[in-house]
């Protein structure tokens, strides 16, 4: 415990927890303190002025990060026939129909994202109670229910990030790795923030983006001046 406290104190050195840093400054501070023995994920959190309990204030979407996420994403696809062949050619890790349904229904979920062709949704819909809480339920609004299965698989593999506001009005996502470097991380954060801003719901009133912060897996959060993100 003493060793952990000492490490945390060292990470906090030079960071004013009450100050709003420019995007570049914040990313540099977080990245410089990502000193774990593994390549830490850099995460962004946005506090929004919405009440997710109301349907007209739901914020949801998908964004293709210009520099990817640095994660190896396993993609499962519900498809048959030619569409199954397209998914395989595009790099899908798991492809199936009733057999995939049975695996998921029994609790075997060894993938990060689930995609389906429209004709498979009557089957996939029965998995709502399993996939829904995990944020994996295919949805046409974020491009995971589509006839263009190859493009969806390639997007998922290439850095597509889904986002959905939580009850407290917070959206967070991993937007890269510490090894990316400041410039690529800044580009990814701006792309992510822009997508969230564009997804502003009709029911949102007053200030939409209240706070933005960036952090690493084992590090502390650094607050960002919202204007430095928007001005890009």
């Amino acid at each position: 415990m003493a060793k952990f406290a000492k490490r945390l104190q060292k990470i906090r050195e030079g960071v004013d927890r009450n100050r709003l840093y420019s995007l570049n400054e914040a990313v540099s501070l977080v990245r410089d303190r990502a000193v774990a023995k593994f390549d830490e994920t850099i995460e962004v959190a946005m506090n929004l002025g919405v009440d997710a309990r109301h349907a007209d204030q739901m914020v949801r979407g998908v964004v293709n990060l210009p520099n990817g996420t640095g994660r190896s994403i396993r993609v499962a696809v519900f498809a048959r026939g030619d569409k199954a062949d397209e998914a395989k050619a595009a790099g899908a890790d798991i492809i199936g129909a009733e057999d995939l349904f049975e695996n998921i229904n029994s609790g075997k979920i060894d993938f990060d994202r689930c995609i389906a062709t429209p004709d498979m949704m009557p089957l996939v819909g029965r998995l709502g109670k399993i996939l829904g809480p995990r944020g994996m339920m295919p949805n046409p609004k974020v491009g995971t229910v589509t006839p263009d299965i190859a493009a969806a698989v390639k997007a998922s593999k290439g850095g597509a990030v889904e986002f959905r506001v939580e009850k407290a009005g917070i959206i967070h996502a991993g937007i890269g790795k510490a090894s990316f470097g400041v410039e690529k991380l800044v580009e990814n954060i701006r792309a992510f923030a822009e997508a969230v801003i564009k997804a502003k719901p009709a029911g949102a009133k007053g200030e939409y983006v209240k706070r933005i912060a960036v952090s690493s897996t084992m590090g502390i959060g650094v607050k960002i001046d919202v204007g430095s993100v928007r001005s890009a």
Side-chain angles (χ1 to χ4, degrees), residues 169-184:
I170 298 173
I171 280 181
H172 60 84
I175 52 80
K177 297 290 185 178
S179 61
F180 277 20
V182 173
E183 185 177 341
K184 288 184 177 181

Side-chain angles (χ1 to χ4, degrees), residues 11 25-35 40 42 178 182 216:
I11 290 174
E25 286 180 307
V27 171
S28 294
L29 286 169
V30 168
R31 185 175 176 274
D32 289 347
R33 287 159 176 75
V35 293
E40 294 186 47
I42 304 300
V182 173
S216 66

Side-chain angles (χ1 to χ4, degrees), residues 12-32:
R12 285 176 174 169
E13 285 178 3
V15 178
D16 183 346
R17 302 298 297 279
N18 297 312
R19 177 183 164 188
L20 295 178
Y21 290 89
S22 71
L23 177 56
N24 284 67
E25 286 180 307
V27 171
S28 294
L29 286 169
V30 168
R31 185 175 176 274
D32 289 347

Side-chain angles (χ1 to χ4, degrees), residues 48-128:
L48 306 179
V50 298
D51 186 342
R53 293 174 298 180
H54 300 287
D56 66 344
Q57 295 187 47
M58 174 55 64
V59 181
R60 184 173 188 177
V62 64
V63 56
N64 289 306
L65 299 181
N67 301 299
T69 63
R71 286 184 61 203
S72 177
I73 303 295
R74 284 180 59 80
V75 177
V77 175
F78 277 93
R80 293 190 177 96
D82 291 343
K83 293 298 180 182
D85 293 338
E86 289 177 24
K88 183 177 181 180
D93 300 278
I94 305 167
I95 305 161
E98 283 76 13
D99 53 338
L100 180 53
F101 173 91
E102 291 300 333
N103 285 341
I104 295 172
N105 202 39
S106 66
K108 186 179 180 182
I109 301 175
D110 55 351
F111 53 86
D112 305 293
R113 187 157 298 152
C114 186
I115 300 171
T117 53
D119 62 295
M120 297 297 295
M121 286 310 294
L123 177 65
V124 180
R126 291 158 54 193
L127 296 169

